[in-house]
Amino acid sequence: MKILDLKGNENLTKLKEPANVIKNGGLVLFPTETVYGLGANGLDENAVKKIFVAKGRKQDNPLILHISSINMLNQIVFKLNEVEKKLINAFWPGPFTIILNHTDIVPNSVTGGLDTVGVRMPSGKIARALIEYSGVPIAAPSANISGKPSGTNLDDIFDELKDKVDYIIDGGHCDVGLESTVVRVIDNIPHILRPGKVTPEQIKEVAGNVIIDSHILHQLDSQDKPLSPGMKYRHYAPNTKCVLVYSKDNNKLVEKINELSKGFNKPLVICCNDNVKFYNDKLNINIGFKNNLEEISKNIFSALRKVDKFEPDIVFIEGVEATGLGLAIMNRLIRACEYNYVEV
Ligand code: TXA
Ligand code: MG
C-alpha cells in the first residue's frame, strides 16, 4: 500500500500513479469534495467486487459511478430527458448524484442488479483528475466500514481501511463533509432519495418541482420497498446510545438536554459552539456555530467517530432546523441516533 500526500499540493500529475492502480483493478482511497471514496474501475466487475469485500457492504446496495466528462456519461447511460439535463447542467460538477437507466457496459456488481445507476461528476480537483487519468468511471462508495460514519479526513479512516486498499491519496479535510444529494427524476419530478449540499430549494428552482422522499426523516416499515437500497441499512451510529433533540427555541433545547441527562453518570453532548457554556458539567464535542450549517456539516462525521472514545453512558445531539442544508444534517443525525428523536 502506498500513500500520496496531496494536501495543499497542486501537482495533480502525481495522480497518474493511483490512476494506474485503478486501471489495473486495484482499490484507491481518494478525497472528493463531499467525503472520501473507496474507488475501483467501475467497468471492471472483479475490481468492483473488492469494494464490497473491503467495506463489508451488502451486495444489493448499489454504488455511484464517478465521471469526469459528459463523454463518459454517454457511455454508461441512455439519453437524458429535459429535467435530468437541467439538473446536471445546474449541479455538475458538484455534490449531486442522479439515478439514470444504464447501458450494458455497467457491471451488475455496481448496480446490485438494478436497471439504474447513480452517476456523479465530482468538483473536487483530485477526484476529477484521478478519473480523467484513469479513463474510466470510478465506482466509489463513501470510505468507511459499512454502518460507520463516512470518512471526511484521512486520520479518521486510516486504521480502518489501510490494510484493505492498494493506494491512499491524502487530500486533507473534505469541504462539504456530507455525501452527495441523490436524486431520481420520476414523471419529470425530481425525487430526493438522500439529501445533501444541493438543497431541495435549489432543485426546485431549477426543475420547478421537487419531492422529498418520506424516508429521509422517517424509519422504513418492514414492508416498505425503498427507492434507494441504502435507506434500509444501519448508518453512522456510534456504539453508545444517541438521542437527537431539537427545538426551534434554543433555551428549550438546552433545558431539555440538561433535563434528559439527569441520572446519567457520564453524558456527552454534541452541540453548537454557542451552547457549550450551558453544558459545563458534561462531556461535549462542539461542531460549529449554530448559524453556520456548512461548518456543522463538515464536522458531523468526525464528531460521531469521536464519541465512543470518551466512553460516555449516553449521548445527546443538538438538532438543527430541517430545511436547506439542515435537512441533510438531520437525515444523518437521525440515523446516527437510530431514530431516537425528541422535539420540544
Ligand atoms: O458524496 C458521495 O455520494 C460519496 C462520494 C464518495 O462520492 N459516495 C457515497 O456513496 O456516498 P455510497 O455508496 O456511500 O452511497 C450511495 C447511495 C446509497 O444510499 C445507495 O443506496 C444509493 O446511493 N444508490 C446508488 N445507486 C442507486 C440506484 N441505482 N438507485 C437508488 N439508489 C442508489
Ligand atoms: Mg456510504
Side-chain angles (χ1 to χ4, degrees):
M1 191 270 294
K2 183 163 178 181
I3 304 178
L4 172 61
D5 184 353
L6 277 186
K7 286 195 301 286
N9 183 339
E10 295 299 299
N11 189 0
L12 298 177
T13 55
K14 288 189 178 156
L15 290 167
K16 287 181 180 167
E17 193 174 69
N20 274 326
V21 174
I22 294 275
K23 280 190 218 166
N24 293 325
L27 285 189
V28 177
L29 183 61
F30 69 102
T32 84
E33 75 279 22
T34 57
V35 298
Y36 276 76
L38 191 58
N41 179 349
L43 303 182
D44 176 342
E45 179 96 46
N46 286 324
V48 170
K49 282 184 181 158
K50 292 183 194 167
I51 296 176
F52 287 85
V53 175
K55 274 196 68 134
R57 181 171 171 121
K58 294 271 184 344
Q59 297 279 349
D60 73 342
N61 194 5
L63 304 177
I64 294 170
L65 287 182
H66 297 71
I67 58 168
S68 58
S69 69
I70 295 297
N71 252 348
M72 239 180 220
L73 176 70
N74 293 333
Q75 289 171 17
I76 56 178
V77 304
F78 296 110
K79 213 167 164 321
L80 309 195
N81 66 35
E82 287 309 311
V83 178
E84 290 163 345
K85 276 187 204 158
K86 274 189 196 170
L87 292 169
I88 68 166
N89 283 335
F91 302 123
W92 277 0
F96 182 79
T97 296
I98 187 157
I99 308 294
L100 298 165
N101 289 320
H102 65 78
T103 59
D104 286 347
I105 199 179
V106 178
N108 263 331
S109 51
V110 170
T111 65
L114 299 175
D115 296 336
T116 55
V117 65
V119 190
R120 171 163 115 79
M121 188 189 287
S123 60
K125 279 188 191 165
I126 295 176
R128 285 285 290 291
L130 180 69
I131 304 163
E132 223 160 279
Y133 285 133
S134 305
V136 290
I138 296 186
S142 52
N144 53 276
I145 296 295
S146 281
K148 289 215 171 199
S150 303
T152 51
N153 62 82
L154 198 55
D155 280 352
D156 282 355
I157 46 177
F158 185 75
D159 287 339
E160 188 170 311
L161 294 170
K162 65 178 189 305
D163 300 327
K164 307 193 175 217
V165 298
D166 302 298
Y167 204 103
I168 293 178
I169 304 165
D170 187 358
H173 205 293
C174 300
D175 277 345
V176 177
L178 297 177
E179 311 90 334
S180 60
T181 306
V182 177
V183 164
R184 179 167 179 183
V185 178
I186 303 170
D187 296 333
N188 289 320
I189 303 175
H191 287 57
I192 299 182
L193 307 185
R194 181 178 72 185
K197 177 78 194 298
V198 173
T199 62
E201 294 80 357
Q202 287 174 294
I203 292 169
K204 188 168 180 187
E205 205 172 303
V206 169
N209 216 335
V210 67
I211 290 177
I212 299 172
D213 192 280
S214 61
H215 300 119
I216 280 177
L217 294 177
H218 299 102
Q219 199 163 9
L220 282 171
D221 287 332
S222 52
Q223 66 273 34
D224 283 356
K225 197 169 183 302
L227 277 171
S228 179
M231 290 172 174
K232 287 187 301 204
Y233 296 111
R234 184 176 186 267
H235 274 309
Y236 317 124
N239 294 327
T240 318
K241 179 179 172 175
C242 299
V243 182
L244 180 60
V245 185
Y246 175 67
S247 173
K248 273 199 170 74
D249 178 333
N250 192 56
N251 291 330
K252 281 192 187 163
L253 171 67
V254 171
E255 263 172 37
K256 192 70 193 175
I257 289 179
N258 280 327
E259 178 199 317
L260 289 171
S261 52
K262 281 188 189 130
F264 289 94
N265 289 324
K266 229 179 145 189
L268 183 149
V269 186
I270 297 183
C271 62
C272 60
N273 300 12
D274 326 51
N275 285 347
V276 181
K277 56 181 180 284
F278 301 119
Y279 306 118
N280 279 334
D281 55 340
K282 301 177 187 56
L283 297 166
N284 53 63
I285 302 177
N286 41 331
I287 51 174
F289 286 95
K290 201 175 180 86
N291 62 6
N292 189 346
L293 294 183
E294 271 81 15
E295 192 188 3
I296 291 176
S297 304
K298 204 167 170 169
N299 292 325
I300 277 182
F301 285 141
S302 228
L304 289 170
R305 280 178 170 274
K306 284 196 194 101
V307 160
D308 292 323
K309 294 185 187 138
F310 289 90
E311 301 183 335
D313 53 357
I314 183 98
V315 179
F316 295 100
I317 308 182
E318 290 187 348
V320 299
E321 193 186 339
T323 57
L325 183 54
L327 180 67
I329 295 172
M330 288 298 271
N331 166 264
R332 305 315 191 271
L333 289 180
I334 205 154
R335 282 171 168 68
C337 294
E338 301 188 274
Y339 302 93
N340 292 309
Y341 178 64
V342 178
E343 187 170 339
V344 283

